[in-house]
Amino acid sequence: GMSKNRGDQKHPIKSILAGGIAGAIEICVTYPTEYVKTQLQLHENKLIGGKPKYKGIIDCFYKTIKYNGYLGLYRGLSSLFYMTIPKNAIRFTAFETMKNRLQDDNNQLTVSKRMLCGI
């Protein structure tokens, strides 16, 4: 058959960067809701002047922004970056490497090979 068209392969650095950037974006989008969830869990039983610190999700968002600014929703984020960015970089690179080795002459993957690559 034909030889594989290797011109379509991504350089490993591109996969590493794409994975790292995707991980960073994922964190920035999802972290505020995780932060609020954690705050509600931590302050569930703590009363301030006989009342709970937060009335609910919206109140927690509002008070966090009011007293700490929008960046208050991202407190504690840096420790998550140290783990998530490298994890996603490795995941993207591993997928691209496996894909390049398993694709057919038309640069296609069967469903089973796609699953093996990690999709």
Side-chain angles (χ1 to χ4, degrees):
M2 288 186 192
S3 63
K4 289 186 181 182
N5 179 4
R6 295 288 182 192
D8 292 339
Q9 289 186 17
K10 289 183 182 160
H11 192 278
I13 294 296
K14 286 183 181 177
S15 294
I16 291 169
L17 288 173
I21 291 168
I25 291 169
E26 175 189 6
I27 293 168
C28 290
V29 170
T30 61
Y31 192 78
T33 55
E34 289 296 317
Y35 176 82
V36 167
K37 178 189 81 166
T38 303
Q39 291 303 304
L40 290 171
Q41 289 171 340
L42 289 173
H43 296 286
E44 187 174 37
N45 297 320
K46 292 182 181 176
L47 300 178
I48 297 174
K51 290 196 261 182
K53 184 172 182 177
Y54 303 111
K55 296 174 189 166
I57 295 169
I58 304 293
D59 187 53
C60 185
F61 269 108
Y62 174 76
K63 286 180 179 173
T64 300
I65 293 168
K66 180 178 178 182
Y67 297 112
N68 301 309
Y70 285 100
L71 292 179
L73 294 170
Y74 291 92
R75 285 189 3 205
L77 177 71
S78 60
S79 60
L80 193 58
F81 265 113
Y82 297 128
M83 192 173 68
T84 302
I85 291 174
K87 176 185 74 172
N88 278 342
I90 290 167
R91 182 183 298 155
F92 270 58
T93 305
F95 170 78
E96 287 295 328
T97 301
M98 292 290 291
K99 182 182 90 168
N100 290 334
R101 291 176 189 238
L102 296 175
Q103 62 193 5
D104 63 20
D105 291 339
N106 296 320
N107 296 329
Q108 299 297 313
L109 290 171
T110 63
V111 173
S112 58
K113 287 183 178 178
R114 198 174 285 270
M115 289 175 62
L116 185 60
C117 288
I119 293 187

